[in-house]
Amino acid sequence: MELFEQKFTESMSSKVALLNRITHYIVNRKGKQMRPMFVFLVAKMVSGGDINERTYRGASVIELIHTATLVHDDVVDDSNRRRGFFSINALWKNKIAVLVGDYLLSKGLLLSIDYGDFDMLRIISIAVREMSEGELLQIEKARNLDITEEVYYEIIRQKTATLIASCCSLGACSVAPETEAVEKMRKFGELIGMAFQIKDDLFDYGDNVIGKPIGIDIKEQKMTLPLIYTLNHSSKEKKRWLINSVKNHNKNKKRVKEVIDFVKVSGGLEYATHAMHQFKEEALKILIEYPDSTYKSSLELMVNYVIDRKK
């Protein structure tokens, strides 16, 4: 990871001093770096312990793309904070934040092109397309708040799971290109991504002090699995009250708390937790096919971390 961080910082460099100042700010406030870890662990598990320059490039590309999407997300969501620090748009305004996101995206794509990693470029380009589609699908569906479970799963598959899926397929592709391991690991990553997003949904109803305020999804009119389940299992009268609350009273703290309490007593949290564990079990089943190793054990730990994390 130390060598990766060095290579990742180098991959961001520019001749423009302002850009370097901003990317330096980004690098110094990095998150859990879960995505590069998936790239390295999958590559090592698939190859039996070997990684190469392509693996480092794959990890750098995914982190560049991920960072670009976060910078753009903060502009879209008009958010002033990211991981407890000021967001890029809060410090340098929207115009600069959009341009920095574009720059990081292009650096990521060029990193693959410069070394002829076209198989990896395809994986990452599909992820970018899917993430954009997922966000737009969510916006389209959020207008009428009538999201089925099927549509919800499609949104989170594209929005969240596709990036973790591409991390895992990039890891496999870097050491075993054009083998069935690439698709197998993509599926593994997708399942983890689905569990990861449902865990995020559950945080909206939690009592812990976490990275996002409780009830924020309701305030932003985001349809989450506990809420969808509750809507589908409520009387017409209660359903009308829920939709009206989320649509027209989402800034009212008392009303938001009532919605949260209603979802809890309706079994929405138990239902979502069960679904999350199902995705986790399916992901772990894929790992069974690989021989035991420290890398496989670490991946199993990471899968469990996705479920057990507190923020």
Side-chain angles (χ1 to χ4, degrees):
M1 287 306 289
E2 278 176 18
L3 186 54
F4 157 72
E5 278 181 32
Q6 194 184 317
K7 288 174 185 281
F8 175 58
T9 307
E10 283 166 16
S11 70
M12 279 183 161
S13 66
S14 158
K15 292 190 180 79
V16 179
L18 173 62
L19 249 176
N20 284 336
R21 201 154 69 241
I22 296 169
T23 53
H24 179 75
Y25 178 82
I26 290 169
V27 168
N28 285 346
R29 281 150 192 80
K30 60 186 175 292
K32 297 181 277 282
Q33 292 198 301
M34 201 171 78
R35 287 157 191 86
M37 279 185 218
F38 272 125
V39 176
F40 289 120
L41 288 172
V42 166
K44 288 194 164 200
M45 182 186 74
V46 167
S47 68
D50 296 324
I51 56 169
N52 52 38
E53 280 303 315
R54 262 165 63 91
T55 315
Y56 283 102
R57 284 199 295 275
S60 294
V61 167
I62 209 82
E63 198 65 349
L64 282 164
I65 303 292
H66 176 54
T67 309
T69 62
L70 295 183
V71 172
H72 281 166
D73 276 354
D74 287 340
V75 175
V76 172
D77 298 338
D78 199 16
S79 173
N80 290 326
R81 310 289 285 184
R82 167 68 62 184
R83 295 173 184 144
F85 297 97
F86 284 117
S87 59
I88 304 300
N89 49 304
L91 293 171
W92 285 281
K93 302 291 178 260
N94 283 352
K95 186 176 181 179
I96 287 177
V98 170
L99 293 168
V100 168
D102 290 346
Y103 173 77
L104 295 171
L105 181 64
S106 66
K107 285 293 262 190
L109 301 177
L110 280 167
L111 190 58
S112 300
I113 291 168
D114 288 346
Y115 291 90
D117 300 326
F118 297 111
D119 49 351
M120 292 164 80
L121 179 63
R122 179 174 173 75
I123 291 169
I124 202 68
S125 300
I126 288 170
V128 174
R129 182 197 71 198
E130 297 239 297
M131 285 155 71
S132 310
E133 281 183 347
E135 282 285 356
L136 287 163
L137 179 62
Q138 185 174 47
I139 292 165
E140 181 193 343
K141 296 295 180 186
R143 286 184 179 147
N144 55 8
L145 298 186
D146 204 13
I147 293 185
T148 61
E149 236 177 85
E150 200 178 11
V151 171
Y152 163 82
Y153 281 131
E154 183 55 19
I155 289 170
I156 69 166
R157 187 191 65 74
Q158 290 187 310
K159 254 188 72 174
T160 306
T162 193
L163 194 64
I164 298 177
S166 60
C167 295
C168 297
S169 56
L170 276 175
C173 184
S174 72
V175 291
E178 293 178 41
T179 64
E180 62 175 27
V182 179
E183 173 54 25
K184 215 175 266 181
M185 287 296 102
R186 187 203 65 77
K187 188 66 190 164
F188 168 72
E190 185 174 280
L191 291 163
I192 297 166
M194 301 294 275
F196 185 92
Q197 185 56 53
I198 296 171
K199 179 69 174 181
D200 242 30
D201 288 358
L202 289 164
F203 280 145
D204 207 44
Y205 299 87
D207 304 310
N208 298 345
V209 179
I210 50 152
K212 69 175 192 182
I214 290 166
I216 196 77
D217 288 338
I218 295 166
K219 287 180 186 122
E220 291 175 0
Q221 297 187 26
K222 281 182 187 161
M223 295 301 282
T224 58
L225 191 56
L227 189 56
I228 291 166
Y229 173 84
T230 306
L231 274 168
N232 291 341
H233 294 80
S234 297
S235 63
K236 273 189 180 168
E237 193 185 330
K238 272 293 181 189
K239 194 172 181 176
R240 262 202 308 273
W241 174 81
L242 270 173
I243 290 175
N244 182 33
S245 301
V246 176
K247 256 193 170 165
N248 306 314
H249 303 280
N250 52 36
K251 302 286 186 281
N252 178 333
K253 280 185 181 172
K254 183 172 174 286
R255 192 73 170 255
V256 169
K257 190 181 181 311
E258 284 171 8
V259 170
I260 289 172
D261 290 342
F262 183 66
V263 170
K264 284 179 177 174
V265 298
S266 303
L269 301 194
E270 287 87 350
Y271 181 78
T273 304
H274 177 68
M276 175 180 72
H277 281 286
Q278 277 186 309
F279 282 117
K280 180 193 92 164
E281 292 310 320
E282 278 187 63
L284 290 174
K285 262 185 219 159
I286 293 174
L287 292 185
I288 290 169
E289 299 171 35
Y290 289 88
D292 288 342
S293 65
T294 52
Y295 319 115
K296 178 179 165 177
S297 304
S298 296
L299 278 170
E300 286 167 348
L301 276 173
M302 281 188 76
V303 173
N304 286 310
Y305 164 73
V306 162
I307 302 294
D308 299 329
R309 68 200 164 98
K310 299 286 182 274
K311 63 178 181 176

PDB file of all heavy atoms in Angstrom, residues 111-140:
ATOM      1  N   LEU A 111      -3.791   6.618 -18.021  1.00  0.00           N
ATOM      2  CA  LEU A 111      -2.850   5.694 -17.380  1.00  0.00           C
ATOM      3  C   LEU A 111      -2.964   4.301 -18.020  1.00  0.00           C
ATOM      4  O   LEU A 111      -1.971   3.612 -18.217  1.00  0.00           O
ATOM      5  CB  LEU A 111      -3.137   5.630 -15.877  1.00  0.00           C
ATOM      6  CG  LEU A 111      -2.135   4.915 -14.977  1.00  0.00           C
ATOM      7  CD1 LEU A 111      -0.752   5.524 -15.093  1.00  0.00           C
ATOM      8  CD2 LEU A 111      -2.591   4.969 -13.528  1.00  0.00           C
ATOM      9  N   SER A 112      -4.209   3.907 -18.351  1.00  0.00           N
ATOM     10  CA  SER A 112      -4.418   2.614 -19.013  1.00  0.00           C
ATOM     11  C   SER A 112      -3.944   2.659 -20.467  1.00  0.00           C
ATOM     12  O   SER A 112      -3.312   1.723 -20.962  1.00  0.00           O
ATOM     13  CB  SER A 112      -5.901   2.239 -18.996  1.00  0.00           C
ATOM     14  OG  SER A 112      -6.351   2.142 -17.679  1.00  0.00           O
ATOM     15  N   ILE A 113      -4.247   3.750 -21.157  1.00  0.00           N
ATOM     16  CA  ILE A 113      -3.900   3.860 -22.582  1.00  0.00           C
ATOM     17  C   ILE A 113      -2.385   3.904 -22.774  1.00  0.00           C
ATOM     18  O   ILE A 113      -1.836   3.246 -23.661  1.00  0.00           O
ATOM     19  CB  ILE A 113      -4.563   5.114 -23.203  1.00  0.00           C
ATOM     20  CG1 ILE A 113      -6.083   4.918 -23.263  1.00  0.00           C
ATOM     21  CG2 ILE A 113      -4.015   5.404 -24.601  1.00  0.00           C
ATOM     22  CD1 ILE A 113      -6.869   6.163 -23.572  1.00  0.00           C
ATOM     23  N   ASP A 114      -1.697   4.680 -21.928  1.00  0.00           N
ATOM     24  CA  ASP A 114      -0.244   4.866 -22.086  1.00  0.00           C
ATOM     25  C   ASP A 114       0.532   3.557 -22.026  1.00  0.00           C
ATOM     26  O   ASP A 114       1.610   3.438 -22.605  1.00  0.00           O
ATOM     27  CB  ASP A 114       0.293   5.832 -21.003  1.00  0.00           C
ATOM     28  CG  ASP A 114      -0.146   7.265 -21.259  1.00  0.00           C
ATOM     29  OD1 ASP A 114      -0.623   7.541 -22.380  1.00  0.00           O
ATOM     30  OD2 ASP A 114      -0.039   8.101 -20.344  1.00  0.00           O
ATOM     31  N   TYR A 115      -0.026   2.588 -21.293  1.00  0.00           N
ATOM     32  CA  TYR A 115       0.682   1.301 -21.165  1.00  0.00           C
ATOM     33  C   TYR A 115      -0.005   0.185 -21.952  1.00  0.00           C
ATOM     34  O   TYR A 115       0.331  -0.983 -21.803  1.00  0.00           O
ATOM     35  CB  TYR A 115       0.792   0.919 -19.680  1.00  0.00           C
ATOM     36  CG  TYR A 115       1.723   1.817 -18.909  1.00  0.00           C
ATOM     37  CD1 TYR A 115       1.251   2.964 -18.283  1.00  0.00           C
ATOM     38  CD2 TYR A 115       3.095   1.535 -18.837  1.00  0.00           C
ATOM     39  CE1 TYR A 115       2.107   3.806 -17.583  1.00  0.00           C
ATOM     40  CE2 TYR A 115       3.956   2.371 -18.139  1.00  0.00           C
ATOM     41  CZ  TYR A 115       3.466   3.505 -17.521  1.00  0.00           C
ATOM     42  OH  TYR A 115       4.324   4.340 -16.833  1.00  0.00           O
ATOM     43  N   GLY A 116      -0.974   0.555 -22.772  1.00  0.00           N
ATOM     44  CA  GLY A 116      -1.655  -0.441 -23.610  1.00  0.00           C
ATOM     45  C   GLY A 116      -2.517  -1.424 -22.838  1.00  0.00           C
ATOM     46  O   GLY A 116      -2.779  -2.532 -23.308  1.00  0.00           O
ATOM     47  N   ASP A 117      -2.988  -1.014 -21.647  1.00  0.00           N
ATOM     48  CA  ASP A 117      -3.847  -1.900 -20.844  1.00  0.00           C
ATOM     49  C   ASP A 117      -5.308  -1.766 -21.289  1.00  0.00           C
ATOM     50  O   ASP A 117      -6.172  -1.332 -20.531  1.00  0.00           O
ATOM     51  CB  ASP A 117      -3.757  -1.532 -19.353  1.00  0.00           C
ATOM     52  CG  ASP A 117      -2.347  -1.661 -18.798  1.00  0.00           C
ATOM     53  OD1 ASP A 117      -1.628  -2.559 -19.243  1.00  0.00           O
ATOM     54  OD2 ASP A 117      -1.975  -0.862 -17.916  1.00  0.00           O
ATOM     55  N   PHE A 118      -5.578  -2.121 -22.546  1.00  0.00           N
ATOM     56  CA  PHE A 118      -6.916  -1.869 -23.095  1.00  0.00           C
ATOM     57  C   PHE A 118      -7.990  -2.760 -22.466  1.00  0.00           C
ATOM     58  O   PHE A 118      -9.153  -2.379 -22.383  1.00  0.00           O
ATOM     59  CB  PHE A 118      -6.906  -1.996 -24.624  1.00  0.00           C
ATOM     60  CG  PHE A 118      -6.015  -0.972 -25.274  1.00  0.00           C
ATOM     61  CD1 PHE A 118      -4.833  -1.336 -25.897  1.00  0.00           C
ATOM     62  CD2 PHE A 118      -6.347   0.374 -25.209  1.00  0.00           C
ATOM     63  CE1 PHE A 118      -3.999  -0.385 -26.455  1.00  0.00           C
ATOM     64  CE2 PHE A 118      -5.518   1.342 -25.771  1.00  0.00           C
ATOM     65  CZ  PHE A 118      -4.341   0.965 -26.397  1.00  0.00           C
ATOM     66  N   ASP A 119      -7.580  -3.960 -22.016  1.00  0.00           N
ATOM     67  CA  ASP A 119      -8.537  -4.838 -21.329  1.00  0.00           C
ATOM     68  C   ASP A 119      -8.981  -4.195 -20.014  1.00  0.00           C
ATOM     69  O   ASP A 119     -10.154  -4.228 -19.637  1.00  0.00           O
ATOM     70  CB  ASP A 119      -7.925  -6.229 -21.081  1.00  0.00           C
ATOM     71  CG  ASP A 119      -6.535  -6.185 -20.445  1.00  0.00           C
ATOM     72  OD1 ASP A 119      -5.939  -5.087 -20.337  1.00  0.00           O
ATOM     73  OD2 ASP A 119      -6.029  -7.260 -20.063  1.00  0.00           O
ATOM     74  N   MET A 120      -8.032  -3.548 -19.323  1.00  0.00           N
ATOM     75  CA  MET A 120      -8.356  -2.882 -18.064  1.00  0.00           C
ATOM     76  C   MET A 120      -9.141  -1.588 -18.315  1.00  0.00           C
ATOM     77  O   MET A 120     -10.018  -1.223 -17.543  1.00  0.00           O
ATOM     78  CB  MET A 120      -7.074  -2.609 -17.275  1.00  0.00           C
ATOM     79  CG  MET A 120      -6.430  -3.909 -16.791  1.00  0.00           C
ATOM     80  SD  MET A 120      -4.726  -3.729 -16.271  1.00  0.00           S
ATOM     81  CE  MET A 120      -4.918  -3.059 -14.641  1.00  0.00           C
ATOM     82  N   LEU A 121      -8.809  -0.919 -19.409  1.00  0.00           N
ATOM     83  CA  LEU A 121      -9.518   0.312 -19.772  1.00  0.00           C
ATOM     84  C   LEU A 121     -10.995   0.021 -20.015  1.00  0.00           C
ATOM     85  O   LEU A 121     -11.869   0.805 -19.631  1.00  0.00           O
ATOM     86  CB  LEU A 121      -8.888   0.933 -21.020  1.00  0.00           C
ATOM     87  CG  LEU A 121      -9.532   2.219 -21.547  1.00  0.00           C
ATOM     88  CD1 LEU A 121      -9.418   3.344 -20.536  1.00  0.00           C
ATOM     89  CD2 LEU A 121      -8.900   2.649 -22.868  1.00  0.00           C
ATOM     90  N   ARG A 122     -11.266  -1.125 -20.634  1.00  0.00           N
ATOM     91  CA  ARG A 122     -12.660  -1.506 -20.900  1.00  0.00           C
ATOM     92  C   ARG A 122     -13.429  -1.697 -19.579  1.00  0.00           C
ATOM     93  O   ARG A 122     -14.545  -1.217 -19.428  1.00  0.00           O
ATOM     94  CB  ARG A 122     -12.688  -2.795 -21.732  1.00  0.00           C
ATOM     95  CG  ARG A 122     -14.091  -3.279 -22.049  1.00  0.00           C
ATOM     96  CD  ARG A 122     -14.102  -4.474 -22.997  1.00  0.00           C
ATOM     97  NE  ARG A 122     -15.459  -4.984 -23.117  1.00  0.00           N
ATOM     98  CZ  ARG A 122     -16.421  -4.407 -23.813  1.00  0.00           C
ATOM     99  NH1 ARG A 122     -16.189  -3.287 -24.451  1.00  0.00           N
ATOM    100  NH2 ARG A 122     -17.631  -4.927 -23.870  1.00  0.00           N
ATOM    101  N   ILE A 123     -12.798  -2.384 -18.631  1.00  0.00           N
ATOM    102  CA  ILE A 123     -13.433  -2.633 -17.326  1.00  0.00           C
ATOM    103  C   ILE A 123     -13.787  -1.305 -16.651  1.00  0.00           C
ATOM    104  O   ILE A 123     -14.897  -1.113 -16.162  1.00  0.00           O
ATOM    105  CB  ILE A 123     -12.507  -3.476 -16.415  1.00  0.00           C
ATOM    106  CG1 ILE A 123     -12.396  -4.911 -16.961  1.00  0.00           C
ATOM    107  CG2 ILE A 123     -13.001  -3.481 -14.969  1.00  0.00           C
ATOM    108  CD1 ILE A 123     -11.305  -5.753 -16.305  1.00  0.00           C
ATOM    109  N   ILE A 124     -12.833  -0.382 -16.652  1.00  0.00           N
ATOM    110  CA  ILE A 124     -13.040   0.879 -15.942  1.00  0.00           C
ATOM    111  C   ILE A 124     -14.036   1.783 -16.664  1.00  0.00           C
ATOM    112  O   ILE A 124     -14.834   2.484 -16.042  1.00  0.00           O
ATOM    113  CB  ILE A 124     -11.684   1.600 -15.677  1.00  0.00           C
ATOM    114  CG1 ILE A 124     -11.826   2.571 -14.508  1.00  0.00           C
ATOM    115  CG2 ILE A 124     -11.131   2.302 -16.865  1.00  0.00           C
ATOM    116  CD1 ILE A 124     -12.052   1.924 -13.184  1.00  0.00           C
ATOM    117  N   SER A 125     -14.023   1.744 -17.995  1.00  0.00           N
ATOM    118  CA  SER A 125     -14.950   2.588 -18.766  1.00  0.00           C
ATOM    119  C   SER A 125     -16.388   2.129 -18.569  1.00  0.00           C
ATOM    120  O   SER A 125     -17.308   2.946 -18.471  1.00  0.00           O
ATOM    121  CB  SER A 125     -14.591   2.558 -20.258  1.00  0.00           C
ATOM    122  OG  SER A 125     -13.288   3.047 -20.454  1.00  0.00           O
ATOM    123  N   ILE A 126     -16.588   0.813 -18.494  1.00  0.00           N
ATOM    124  CA  ILE A 126     -17.936   0.275 -18.232  1.00  0.00           C
ATOM    125  C   ILE A 126     -18.407   0.744 -16.853  1.00  0.00           C
ATOM    126  O   ILE A 126     -19.557   1.151 -16.677  1.00  0.00           O
ATOM    127  CB  ILE A 126     -17.937  -1.276 -18.326  1.00  0.00           C
ATOM    128  CG1 ILE A 126     -17.783  -1.705 -19.797  1.00  0.00           C
ATOM    129  CG2 ILE A 126     -19.210  -1.873 -17.722  1.00  0.00           C
ATOM    130  CD1 ILE A 126     -17.526  -3.191 -20.012  1.00  0.00           C
ATOM    131  N   ALA A 127     -17.494   0.735 -15.879  1.00  0.00           N
ATOM    132  CA  ALA A 127     -17.852   1.168 -14.516  1.00  0.00           C
ATOM    133  C   ALA A 127     -18.308   2.631 -14.513  1.00  0.00           C
ATOM    134  O   ALA A 127     -19.310   2.971 -13.888  1.00  0.00           O
ATOM    135  CB  ALA A 127     -16.665   0.982 -13.571  1.00  0.00           C
ATOM    136  N   VAL A 128     -17.587   3.494 -15.230  1.00  0.00           N
ATOM    137  CA  VAL A 128     -17.946   4.920 -15.273  1.00  0.00           C
ATOM    138  C   VAL A 128     -19.320   5.102 -15.916  1.00  0.00           C
ATOM    139  O   VAL A 128     -20.156   5.864 -15.427  1.00  0.00           O
ATOM    140  CB  VAL A 128     -16.870   5.741 -16.031  1.00  0.00           C
ATOM    141  CG1 VAL A 128     -17.322   7.194 -16.209  1.00  0.00           C
ATOM    142  CG2 VAL A 128     -15.544   5.706 -15.283  1.00  0.00           C
ATOM    143  N   ARG A 129     -19.554   4.369 -17.003  1.00  0.00           N
ATOM    144  CA  ARG A 129     -20.857   4.462 -17.681  1.00  0.00           C
ATOM    145  C   ARG A 129     -21.989   4.018 -16.738  1.00  0.00           C
ATOM    146  O   ARG A 129     -23.008   4.685 -16.605  1.00  0.00           O
ATOM    147  CB  ARG A 129     -20.850   3.572 -18.932  1.00  0.00           C
ATOM    148  CG  ARG A 129     -22.156   3.645 -19.736  1.00  0.00           C
ATOM    149  CD  ARG A 129     -22.277   2.480 -20.695  1.00  0.00           C
ATOM    150  NE  ARG A 129     -22.529   1.222 -19.998  1.00  0.00           N
ATOM    151  CZ  ARG A 129     -22.325   0.017 -20.551  1.00  0.00           C
ATOM    152  NH1 ARG A 129     -21.849  -0.085 -21.768  1.00  0.00           N
ATOM    153  NH2 ARG A 129     -22.592  -1.078 -19.857  1.00  0.00           N
ATOM    154  N   GLU A 130     -21.772   2.891 -16.074  1.00  0.00           N
ATOM    155  CA  GLU A 130     -22.808   2.346 -15.192  1.00  0.00           C
ATOM    156  C   GLU A 130     -23.097   3.262 -14.009  1.00  0.00           C
ATOM    157  O   GLU A 130     -24.245   3.431 -13.609  1.00  0.00           O
ATOM    158  CB  GLU A 130     -22.389   0.962 -14.680  1.00  0.00           C
ATOM    159  CG  GLU A 130     -22.239  -0.053 -15.786  1.00  0.00           C
ATOM    160  CD  GLU A 130     -23.151  -1.255 -15.593  1.00  0.00           C
ATOM    161  OE1 GLU A 130     -22.977  -1.952 -14.595  1.00  0.00           O
ATOM    162  OE2 GLU A 130     -24.023  -1.469 -16.445  1.00  0.00           O
ATOM    163  N   MET A 131     -22.045   3.843 -13.442  1.00  0.00           N
ATOM    164  CA  MET A 131     -22.238   4.731 -12.296  1.00  0.00           C
ATOM    165  C   MET A 131     -23.073   5.957 -12.688  1.00  0.00           C
ATOM    166  O   MET A 131     -23.947   6.390 -11.941  1.00  0.00           O
ATOM    167  CB  MET A 131     -20.884   5.171 -11.729  1.00  0.00           C
ATOM    168  CG  MET A 131     -20.205   4.072 -10.927  1.00  0.00           C
ATOM    169  SD  MET A 131     -18.419   4.260 -10.886  1.00  0.00           S
ATOM    170  CE  MET A 131     -18.238   5.655  -9.835  1.00  0.00           C
ATOM    171  N   SER A 132     -22.811   6.489 -13.870  1.00  0.00           N
ATOM    172  CA  SER A 132     -23.585   7.649 -14.354  1.00  0.00           C
ATOM    173  C   SER A 132     -25.039   7.244 -14.579  1.00  0.00           C
ATOM    174  O   SER A 132     -25.967   7.954 -14.182  1.00  0.00           O
ATOM    175  CB  SER A 132     -22.999   8.178 -15.670  1.00  0.00           C
ATOM    176  OG  SER A 132     -21.613   8.361 -15.558  1.00  0.00           O
ATOM    177  N   GLU A 133     -25.237   6.084 -15.205  1.00  0.00           N
ATOM    178  CA  GLU A 133     -26.601   5.595 -15.459  1.00  0.00           C
ATOM    179  C   GLU A 133     -27.355   5.358 -14.149  1.00  0.00           C
ATOM    180  O   GLU A 133     -28.534   5.700 -14.033  1.00  0.00           O
ATOM    181  CB  GLU A 133     -26.561   4.290 -16.262  1.00  0.00           C
ATOM    182  CG  GLU A 133     -26.313   4.496 -17.735  1.00  0.00           C
ATOM    183  CD  GLU A 133     -26.355   3.186 -18.537  1.00  0.00           C
ATOM    184  OE1 GLU A 133     -26.340   2.094 -17.930  1.00  0.00           O
ATOM    185  OE2 GLU A 133     -26.395   3.266 -19.771  1.00  0.00           O
ATOM    186  N   GLY A 134     -26.663   4.780 -13.174  1.00  0.00           N
ATOM    187  CA  GLY A 134     -27.286   4.486 -11.876  1.00  0.00           C
ATOM    188  C   GLY A 134     -27.757   5.747 -11.167  1.00  0.00           C
ATOM    189  O   GLY A 134     -28.858   5.800 -10.620  1.00  0.00           O
ATOM    190  N   GLU A 135     -26.900   6.783 -11.184  1.00  0.00           N
ATOM    191  CA  GLU A 135     -27.258   8.063 -10.559  1.00  0.00           C
ATOM    192  C   GLU A 135     -28.486   8.667 -11.248  1.00  0.00           C
ATOM    193  O   GLU A 135     -29.409   9.147 -10.596  1.00  0.00           O
ATOM    194  CB  GLU A 135     -26.088   9.057 -10.669  1.00  0.00           C
ATOM    195  CG  GLU A 135     -24.969   8.813  -9.677  1.00  0.00           C
ATOM    196  CD  GLU A 135     -25.295   9.241  -8.261  1.00  0.00           C
ATOM    197  OE1 GLU A 135     -26.369   9.813  -8.019  1.00  0.00           O
ATOM    198  OE2 GLU A 135     -24.462   8.991  -7.368  1.00  0.00           O
ATOM    199  N   LEU A 136     -28.486   8.626 -12.586  1.00  0.00           N
ATOM    200  CA  LEU A 136     -29.596   9.220 -13.334  1.00  0.00           C
ATOM    201  C   LEU A 136     -30.884   8.422 -13.150  1.00  0.00           C
ATOM    202  O   LEU A 136     -31.974   8.993 -13.050  1.00  0.00           O
ATOM    203  CB  LEU A 136     -29.233   9.336 -14.823  1.00  0.00           C
ATOM    204  CG  LEU A 136     -28.217  10.449 -15.112  1.00  0.00           C
ATOM    205  CD1 LEU A 136     -27.579  10.267 -16.475  1.00  0.00           C
ATOM    206  CD2 LEU A 136     -28.864  11.824 -15.010  1.00  0.00           C
ATOM    207  N   LEU A 137     -30.752   7.095 -13.079  1.00  0.00           N
ATOM    208  CA  LEU A 137     -31.925   6.241 -12.834  1.00  0.00           C
ATOM    209  C   LEU A 137     -32.526   6.567 -11.469  1.00  0.00           C
ATOM    210  O   LEU A 137     -33.740   6.658 -11.317  1.00  0.00           O
ATOM    211  CB  LEU A 137     -31.514   4.761 -12.915  1.00  0.00           C
ATOM    212  CG  LEU A 137     -32.612   3.717 -12.666  1.00  0.00           C
ATOM    213  CD1 LEU A 137     -33.732   3.827 -13.704  1.00  0.00           C
ATOM    214  CD2 LEU A 137     -32.017   2.300 -12.693  1.00  0.00           C
ATOM    215  N   GLN A 138     -31.658   6.779 -10.490  1.00  0.00           N
ATOM    216  CA  GLN A 138     -32.136   7.120  -9.141  1.00  0.00           C
ATOM    217  C   GLN A 138     -32.887   8.460  -9.141  1.00  0.00           C
ATOM    218  O   GLN A 138     -33.948   8.590  -8.541  1.00  0.00           O
ATOM    219  CB  GLN A 138     -30.962   7.202  -8.162  1.00  0.00           C
ATOM    220  CG  GLN A 138     -31.431   7.444  -6.734  1.00  0.00           C
ATOM    221  CD  GLN A 138     -30.289   7.392  -5.741  1.00  0.00           C
ATOM    222  OE1 GLN A 138     -29.246   7.991  -5.941  1.00  0.00           O
ATOM    223  NE2 GLN A 138     -30.486   6.673  -4.659  1.00  0.00           N
ATOM    224  N   ILE A 139     -32.332   9.443  -9.849  1.00  0.00           N
ATOM    225  CA  ILE A 139     -32.986  10.760  -9.931  1.00  0.00           C
ATOM    226  C   ILE A 139     -34.345  10.638 -10.617  1.00  0.00           C
ATOM    227  O   ILE A 139     -35.346  11.191 -10.166  1.00  0.00           O
ATOM    228  CB  ILE A 139     -32.075  11.774 -10.676  1.00  0.00           C
ATOM    229  CG1 ILE A 139     -30.830  12.082  -9.824  1.00  0.00           C
ATOM    230  CG2 ILE A 139     -32.843  13.063 -10.999  1.00  0.00           C
ATOM    231  CD1 ILE A 139     -29.704  12.774 -10.564  1.00  0.00           C
ATOM    232  N   GLU A 140     -34.364   9.867 -11.707  1.00  0.00           N
ATOM    233  CA  GLU A 140     -35.612   9.674 -12.460  1.00  0.00           C
ATOM    234  C   GLU A 140     -36.688   9.024 -11.587  1.00  0.00           C
ATOM    235  O   GLU A 140     -37.843   9.459 -11.548  1.00  0.00           O
ATOM    236  CB  GLU A 140     -35.325   8.794 -13.688  1.00  0.00           C
ATOM    237  CG  GLU A 140     -36.534   8.532 -14.558  1.00  0.00           C
ATOM    238  CD  GLU A 140     -36.294   7.409 -15.569  1.00  0.00           C
ATOM    239  OE1 GLU A 140     -35.126   7.045 -15.824  1.00  0.00           O
ATOM    240  OE2 GLU A 140     -37.285   6.896 -16.099  1.00  0.00           O
TER     241      GLU A 140
END
